[in-house]
Every structure is written in structure tokens, then in C-alpha cells.
Amino acid sequence: MKVTPLTCFISAVLTLATFGHAVQAKGRLVIYCSATNELCETQAKAFGVKYDVKTSFIRNGSGSTLAKIDAEKKNPQADVWYGGTLDPHSQAGEMDLLTPYVSPQLAQVLPKFRDPARRKGNYSSAVYIGILGFGVNTERLKEKNLPTPQCWKDLIKPEYKGEIQIADPQSSGTAYTALATFVQLWGEDDAFRYLKALNNNISQYTKSGIAPARNAARGETAIGIGFLHDYSLEKENGAPLTLVAPCEGTGYETGGVSIIKGARNADNAKLFVDWVLSQEAQELAWRKGKSYQILTNTAAQSSPHSLRLNALKLIDYDMDTYGATQMRKALIGKWVSEVKMGK
């Protein structure tokens, strides 16, 4: 797969559109949130205060949340799904679990991300971009006299046996993004040969994509694979981590927001989508929510802890192919049978 910079996505900054609602909303809003707990809490609380809405959230990984929304489709228990990788949001749209909505805030969003899901018609919108890579605990590597890996292929070297963690793609959108990235980098056959070799060095497949970052920060593992903004936060908090964007190139997540079909509080769900796409909310995400992804709103100021697109070597992530329900099921099923069952 050809590796190209993502900087072409930000060729122009659009004219800032005015954001606001003259009438305050009333009632309730239930959010399924697949971002960090701190970001979920920050956005839910700020939205509730700003629009006088009684707001609550339930935090879970994006893969688990997709399964929950599907199980509840005859009687939805939430109104909107915020955060987590776009692939499961895209699959939810294909499964007819979402309601389309064209937010006025899309005028400020990077053009590529205004209608990013495989099923077109604004079933999901994009709120951030997260870069896949790995974080390395430098103190643990020093104790074990190991070099700092710089490439994906370094991670399958025998000296890193038992020193790597990644999430399980059955429950984690982060891990599915990694799986899809390896297939796009090398082709399916070579990607699965790599994953089988990597499996020999994995100490734990965690349920959540954030867990390897926290475990690496605590020195429980030397290397955690995941989205680099999670490692930026741990590093800011004092963890001895080095962040690595792998030499071969890497994939990325697009954080989604989607309105659940049959939502009981549909108007407030639309208002919440407007909110999280706005300049105010996206800046709040890192100022108070400690979330250091690259922002999609062109008017929003990025965190100094965020990565810069022009410094990264990224694949041209094929959302139409790898955001498809059947592709996700096929790749995860193959991973379970050929890789995980070998543990």
C-alpha cells in the first residue's frame, strides 16, 4: 500500500461559521462514549451545563459499544455514540443502527472527514484523528538491556518476548485499526504472518485500547501498541515513555460521533453532535479533557502535546474497505482462529 502524508487533507482552512443556538435545550441525553473516561466526563458535563440538559454517559470500548447498540436496536437505551474509532461507527451505519444528521458545524470540519463512513449520507461525523504507533518504557528497556524499537518489524524480534501488549480487536477499535493497518501495509498474508510472530512476544491482549498505554506507563510492560495520544498523556503525567511512529508508516483512527437510530432524545442528540464538532468543544477536549488527538475542526487550536501531520508517515487508510462490516468480521474471525488461539 502506498504510504502518503495526511497533510493533503488540510489544504485549506474553511471560513469560520458561527456556532450557537438561541434557545436552550431541555430534557435528557444518554451518551455511549468510547473515548477516555476523562474526555467523556468533560464533554458530557460541559454540554449539560451549556444547554441545560440532564446528561449521562456510559463508557465502553468501541467494539463492545457496537455490539451493545445492535443488541438494543429494538429498544435503544442511549441517544448518541461519541468517540472511539470510526470503523465500528461505519459498521453501525451499514447495519442501519444510526440516524443521519448533517450538522451545521461540518462547514468547519476538514473536507475528508465531513462524511467519512462507508455508508454515505452523514450517518457519522469525525471529531478527531489519532495516530497508531507504540509507546516504550525507557526505564524497563534499560533494566533489560534492550534497544528502543523504531519499526513495526522490530517488535517481532525474540528479545522482546513477553514485553509487548496490545488490545483484543474483538472488543477494541484500537486493535482493529492496527489489524487493518498491517493488512494495508503488507497485504493480508504477510500481515497475518507478522501477527503470528508478534503473538510470540505478547504478554497480554487487553480488553481496552487504552490499557497498554497505562500498563507501559507503570512499567508493567516495556511496549504498548495503541494510539499515541494516550501515551502523550501518560508522558505528560511523568511516565518514562518514548513515543514511536513506526518507520514503515502507520495507520490512524478517525474518532466518530453518531446518533443512534430510535433515540428517545433525538433533538438533544443532534445538539450534542453540533457541540462536539465545534471549535469550543474540540479545544475543551484537550484543555480539560486531556485528550491530545489531532482535531478535525479547522478553527480549533491544537494541544502542544498533539502530533503534527506533516511530521508523520501515514498510509492512505481505506475506510470504505476496512470500515465495512463483512471485512471487520472476516479479519477479526481470522485473527481469533489463527493468532489468538495460538496463545
Side-chain angles (χ1 to χ4, degrees):
M1 187 74 184
K2 183 180 180 181
V3 178
T4 59
L6 194 61
T7 50
C8 58
F9 297 166
I10 56 170
S11 57
V13 176
L14 301 177
T15 303
L16 176 62
T18 302
F19 175 72
H21 291 262
V23 179
Q24 294 289 292
K26 300 290 182 181
R28 297 176 53 85
L29 182 74
V30 179
I31 305 163
Y32 282 165
C33 191
S34 299
T36 64
N37 193 74
E38 189 167 11
L39 179 58
C40 298
E41 184 174 359
T42 295
Q43 296 289 24
K45 182 178 179 180
F47 172 80
V49 170
K50 187 177 181 72
Y51 295 107
D52 191 24
V53 175
K54 187 176 181 181
T55 306
S56 60
F57 73 88
I58 298 170
R59 201 264 161 213
N60 214 331
S62 50
S64 299
T65 299
L66 173 60
K68 186 172 178 63
I69 293 172
D70 186 33
E72 296 170 351
K73 61 188 173 186
K74 293 184 179 179
N75 184 25
Q77 299 299 300
D79 304 300
V80 66
W81 181 10
Y82 170 60
T85 55
L86 189 73
D87 306 75
H89 285 262
S90 181
Q91 290 138 29
E94 284 193 289
M95 295 163 68
D96 202 28
L97 300 174
L98 306 177
T99 295
Y101 174 58
V102 182
S103 170
Q105 290 299 305
L106 291 176
Q108 298 182 58
V109 169
L110 294 165
K112 182 177 178 67
F113 299 114
R114 292 179 193 169
D115 191 10
R118 188 172 191 268
R119 182 182 183 184
K120 300 305 177 186
N122 299 100
Y123 285 84
S124 299
S125 299
V127 289
Y128 55 72
I129 304 161
I131 307 302
L132 185 71
F134 49 88
V136 177
N137 186 302
T138 54
E139 290 183 356
R140 186 173 175 112
L141 285 186
K142 185 177 180 180
E143 289 172 3
K144 295 180 176 292
N145 196 29
L146 293 172
T148 299
Q150 298 298 325
C151 305
W152 289 122
K153 294 292 180 72
D154 290 338
L155 301 185
I156 63 175
K157 293 178 178 177
E159 55 260 41
Y160 297 113
K161 185 174 179 64
E163 291 296 337
I164 302 173
Q165 290 187 8
I166 186 173
D168 187 324
Q170 296 175 100
S171 59
S172 165
T174 302
Y176 176 73
T177 300
L179 175 54
T181 292
F182 299 147
V183 173
Q184 291 174 81
L185 274 171
W186 303 312
E188 188 170 324
D189 290 345
D190 285 347
F192 273 85
R193 276 191 283 270
Y194 173 81
L195 288 162
K196 290 172 187 177
L198 180 66
N199 185 62
N200 294 326
N201 291 345
I202 298 294
S203 64
Q204 181 183 357
Y205 290 109
T206 62
K207 181 178 180 181
S208 123
I210 299 170
R214 293 173 176 165
N215 294 341
R218 290 192 291 260
E220 295 176 12
T221 187
I223 302 164
I225 299 172
F227 291 121
L228 292 177
H229 53 263
D230 294 327
Y231 295 84
S232 292
L233 176 58
E234 298 294 345
K235 185 174 181 179
E236 184 196 13
N237 290 337
L241 292 176
T242 292
L243 279 59
V244 179
C247 70
E248 299 96 333
T250 192
Y252 58 92
E253 70 164 333
T254 304
V257 61
S258 308
I259 296 173
I260 298 170
K261 187 176 182 179
R264 300 174 187 179
N265 304 288
D267 287 342
N268 286 342
K270 292 176 181 178
L271 191 60
F272 183 79
V273 172
D274 295 344
W275 162 249
V276 296
L277 292 174
S278 72
Q279 175 185 357
E280 179 183 356
Q282 292 204 3
E283 291 181 356
L284 186 71
W286 65 266
R287 294 185 191 279
K288 290 190 177 180
K290 300 293 186 181
S291 187
Y292 298 142
Q293 295 96 330
I294 297 167
L295 306 180
T296 58
N297 187 305
T298 57
Q301 179 182 350
S302 295
S303 164
H305 299 288
S306 295
L307 298 172
R308 299 295 178 259
L309 293 177
N310 59 7
L312 298 167
K313 185 179 181 183
L314 303 177
I315 66 170
D316 186 8
Y317 196 97
D318 186 351
M319 176 56 66
D320 284 352
T321 299
Y322 295 94
T325 302
Q326 291 307 312
M327 177 61 78
R328 179 177 184 273
K329 288 181 178 178
L331 288 180
I332 292 176
K334 185 173 182 177
W335 179 85
V336 170
S337 63
E338 296 189 10
V339 179
K340 188 178 183 182
M341 296 305 290
K343 279 298 282 182

